[in-house]
Amino acid sequence: MKVFLIIGAINAALAVALGAFGAHGLEGKLSEKMLEVYKTGVQYHMYHALGILAVALIASKLTNSSLVNWSGWLLFIGIILFSGSLYVLSMTGISKLGIITPFGGLAFIIGWILLVVGAVKGL
């Protein structure tokens, strides 16, 4: 799945860039707590960018990979909701954004489960 290879690679690069920005551009500008929130966003961003790359590799080996395909999209949605909400929360302090974060976490969990089920069915 070329689209997941592209999405995964772009997100991995973005996670590195955002991590560097956090380490060099936000240190001293955010409280220690908010810097940790930001770092959590970066970590999960990278983990799931790598997960999307795994989806691309697994999907290329399966003939019927609709569950794996959904897995990739859910991991991407999870990055947007989970990591994105943590990035914005850490920089703005708008605590209501914390409402969005669990939906991203749920997308991650469902995405990983679908990857397992899709791989078991397809292999």
Side-chain angles (χ1 to χ4, degrees):
M1 298 292 292
K2 185 177 177 181
V3 69
F4 292 124
L5 184 60
I6 293 167
I7 290 171
I10 288 171
N11 273 280
L14 188 56
V16 171
L18 289 169
F21 172 71
H24 302 291
L26 295 178
E27 191 172 23
K29 294 185 175 134
L30 296 181
S31 70
E32 200 59 39
K33 180 181 177 184
M34 287 297 114
L35 197 53
E36 284 303 313
V37 168
Y38 186 89
K39 287 179 182 179
T40 299
V42 171
Q43 286 177 321
Y44 278 77
H45 192 158
M46 180 57 83
Y47 298 152
H48 292 88
L50 295 173
I52 293 170
L53 291 172
V55 166
L57 294 174
I58 293 167
S60 72
K61 302 292 181 195
L62 303 177
T63 55
N64 184 6
S65 61
S66 64
L67 291 175
V68 174
N69 189 40
W70 271 105
S71 170
W73 289 116
L74 285 167
L75 294 179
F76 182 50
I77 290 166
I79 289 171
I80 294 166
L81 295 178
F82 186 89
S83 295
S85 67
L86 292 181
Y87 295 145
V88 176
L89 168 65
S90 66
M91 290 189 276
T92 66
I94 300 171
S95 60
K96 291 186 183 207
L97 288 169
I99 296 169
I100 297 169
T101 311
F103 291 106
L106 185 60
F108 286 152
I109 292 166
I110 295 169
W112 286 113
I113 290 169
L114 288 180
L115 182 60
V116 170
V117 173
V120 168
K121 285 185 172 186
L123 295 177

